[in-house]
Amino acid sequence: MSGFDIASFFEMARHVGHAKAIGLQFRAAGDDWVEMALPWRPELVAFSSSGIMASGPIVSLVDTCSGVSVWTALGAYRPSVTLDLRLDYLRPAVRGETVVARCHCTSITRQIAFVSGVAHGGDPDRPIARSAGTFMLDGV
């Protein structure tokens, strides 16, 4: 495992800002990957009659998970900015379903990190979305 203290980061992050507001949860991590969850809540639903989770919270989950996977791969926190994040939705996140994202930092250059991921409702073989992202790293 890398030198980035992911447990301390999530202990802080779950009490402040966006992660607290939408209820992001840390699940697991490795040297270059992170798994996070977003439990279904009524306030995250686009249209209450449908029960389908809005895309915005899912994008936030995947963006956060992707960015943190970069820090685990680097072994340290380093300021970064999402340059591009593409989500290809394959199905909706339905009422009561916790969305789980697992993102993997596949490559890091001097200034750019590349991440791929999948979001699912508990079964990785039945994905909600697949993702690909690039992140610009601060400093040289």
Side-chain angles (χ1 to χ4, degrees):
M1 178 69 88
S2 69
F4 174 63
D5 188 353
I6 197 165
S8 293
F9 170 76
F10 277 106
E11 179 57 30
M12 178 276 306
R14 71 185 185 96
H15 295 291
V16 297
H18 196 67
K20 177 183 177 183
I22 65 172
L24 294 182
Q25 299 174 350
F26 169 70
R27 286 251 174 125
D31 287 338
D32 58 4
W33 62 270
V34 173
E35 188 173 279
M36 297 176 63
L38 178 61
W40 185 94
R41 294 191 343 245
E43 57 270 26
L44 301 179
V45 170
F47 301 101
S48 59
S49 62
S50 74
I52 294 172
M53 190 182 294
S55 62
I58 297 170
V59 170
S60 293
L61 167 68
V62 172
D63 187 39
T64 302
C65 190
S66 295
V68 177
S69 77
V70 172
W71 300 336
T72 61
L74 288 168
Y77 168 79
R78 187 167 160 195
S80 61
V81 176
T82 306
L83 288 177
D84 183 52
L85 182 63
R86 176 188 171 121
L87 266 72
D88 292 324
Y89 286 93
L90 304 169
R91 69 174 184 85
V94 297
R95 184 182 312 276
E97 188 171 37
T98 293
V99 179
V100 177
R102 185 176 179 125
C103 297
H104 174 241
C105 183
T106 57
S107 178
I108 300 175
T109 68
R110 192 169 58 83
Q111 292 184 306
I112 306 292
F114 300 86
V115 179
S116 64
V118 64
H120 58 84
D123 179 1
D125 292 329
R126 191 171 172 262
I128 292 168
R130 297 197 182 279
S131 67
T134 54
F135 295 79
M136 182 172 62
L137 305 173
D138 184 30
V140 221

